Amino acid sequence: MIDLKIKNLPLIISIVSGKGGVGKSIITANLANTLANNEQKVLVWDGNYNFPNQHIMFGIEPPYRAKDTYMGRVNLNSVIYKINDHLYLLADYSVNEIELEIDIDTILNVVKQLITNYDFDFILIDTAAGLSELLLNFINISHLVCVVLDDNPSSLIDSYALIKIFLRFVNPEQIKLIINNIIDNEDFNEITTKINLVSKNFLRQSFETIGYLPYDREIHKSVIHQELFTNSGNEQLKKYMENLAQYFIDYYKYNNIETTFGILQE
């Protein structure tokens, strides 16, 4: 069992990527499940406004979605879907089903409600790949920003470009790296070295790699079958997510979590 800590305010984590297809949503869902399995109360917020897919990851179809509350059709409490006692989902529709211009003030109102009216321990925001105004607003209200990347050259380039922009809005210490689809330790070290070599040379910053996942066909199969690999019998895969979850719990335990974000005080 993971070491726990009694707490009052949620740790808000934006999980981002420079390009699609690097496993960001898979990691978000399985990290949330791992935290929940260790008696942490977790909300997954699908922040991919155009093409959300967290409901697919969990294999569920909530009756109401985030856009329903953005539009004022239903209250937030009706939209938050209970998966189990410790795991909840704020799912969304794709733009093909319902379209509107997003209202940033509405998004911020949702954040305020989540912080003040609910007792979540962790809020994980699965954002859309690439850069958008909505993404920048999500990272501005997050305690940590986790960049997911793999060894694809375009992933490394896009991750660096994203981090460079993020540094205008958040402190370097808030940015963390998660490496996906590694082959072995040599592959892991090579990817970490490449991204930090560039960031040190041009940004004068290096970033902590807090977790990784190996390439494994079982992860791919879990997506196809809409089943989380952390609910399977693969103890090795579950251990990788346990280590990542422990990082966040330790971070929460040893850091003073505050909600004094300027963007929330407006």
Side-chain angles (χ1 to χ4, degrees):
M1 180 68 70
I2 288 178
D3 180 33
L4 306 178
K5 172 182 178 289
I6 297 176
K7 43 200 175 291
N8 297 313
L9 299 175
L11 180 66
I12 304 175
I13 305 165
S14 279
I15 302 180
V16 311
S17 64
K19 67 182 293 292
V22 297
K24 169 180 55 61
S25 296
I26 297 171
I27 288 173
T28 301
N30 283 278
L31 171 61
N33 190 52
T34 302
L35 290 166
N37 286 341
N38 284 275
E39 300 180 353
Q40 297 290 276
K41 192 171 183 180
V42 184
L43 173 72
V44 176
W45 182 352
D46 199 328
N48 188 335
Y49 185 80
N50 293 321
F51 303 107
N53 60 13
Q54 280 298 321
H55 60 290
I56 298 174
M57 297 293 167
F58 286 101
I60 57 177
E61 290 292 341
Y64 299 108
R65 308 296 173 95
K67 289 187 181 68
D68 291 323
T69 198
Y70 298 161
M71 296 173 65
R73 297 173 59 182
V74 297
N75 61 37
L76 181 60
N77 197 53
S78 298
V79 176
I80 295 176
Y81 186 88
K82 180 179 179 179
I83 299 175
N84 59 49
D85 287 342
H86 292 96
L87 185 56
Y88 296 76
L89 175 62
L90 180 54
D92 210 348
Y93 298 109
S94 72
V95 291
N96 291 326
E97 296 176 77
I98 186 170
E99 296 184 13
L100 76 160
E101 292 295 324
I102 191 164
D103 186 326
I104 296 302
D105 290 335
T106 300
I107 298 296
L108 296 181
N109 182 54
V110 172
V111 175
K112 292 177 183 179
Q113 290 184 65
L114 291 174
I115 290 176
T116 58
N117 299 336
Y118 296 85
D119 60 346
F120 294 113
D121 300 312
F122 293 88
I123 298 175
L124 307 184
I125 306 174
D126 181 24
T127 67
L131 185 65
S132 67
E133 182 179 356
L134 179 59
L135 172 63
L136 294 178
N137 279 278
F138 277 138
I139 70 167
N140 270 324
I141 54 88
S142 298
H143 300 100
L144 293 174
V145 178
C146 297
V147 181
V148 178
L149 66 156
D150 58 24
D151 63 351
N152 189 305
S154 63
S155 174
L156 292 167
I157 294 170
D158 292 346
S159 295
Y160 166 76
L162 205 60
I163 289 170
K164 183 178 180 180
I165 294 173
F166 286 169
L167 290 174
R168 304 175 189 174
F169 301 92
V170 300
N171 294 325
E173 295 79 14
Q174 292 176 257
I175 300 174
K176 309 297 179 181
L177 305 178
I178 299 174
I179 314 297
N180 194 24
N181 290 328
I182 68 163
I183 300 172
D184 50 31
N185 286 335
E186 182 179 348
D187 189 36
F188 168 77
N189 291 330
E190 182 178 352
I191 298 169
T192 304
T193 299
K194 283 181 179 178
I195 188 71
N196 274 314
L197 181 62
V198 175
S199 61
K200 283 180 181 178
N201 286 341
F202 296 100
L203 304 178
R204 297 185 179 179
Q205 299 287 344
S206 60
F207 302 97
E208 180 183 10
T209 301
I210 62 173
Y212 62 92
L213 273 178
Y215 172 79
D216 194 301
R217 289 184 60 84
E218 187 168 325
I219 297 176
H220 176 67
K221 290 179 181 178
S222 73
V223 177
I224 295 176
H225 297 294
Q226 297 184 31
E227 298 174 351
L228 302 179
F229 67 78
T230 44
N231 285 337
S232 73
N234 191 320
E235 296 300 324
Q236 183 178 12
L237 283 180
K238 288 195 282 188
K239 184 63 177 177
Y240 288 114
M241 296 310 298
E242 286 279 346
N243 291 338
L244 184 59
Q246 184 65 63
Y247 174 89
F248 291 117
I249 290 175
D250 288 344
Y251 181 94
Y252 198 81
K253 181 177 181 179
Y254 297 112
N255 289 271
N256 182 27
I257 304 303
E258 300 178 349
T259 58
T260 55
F261 304 100
I263 196 168
L264 289 179
Q265 295 177 327
E266 295 177 354

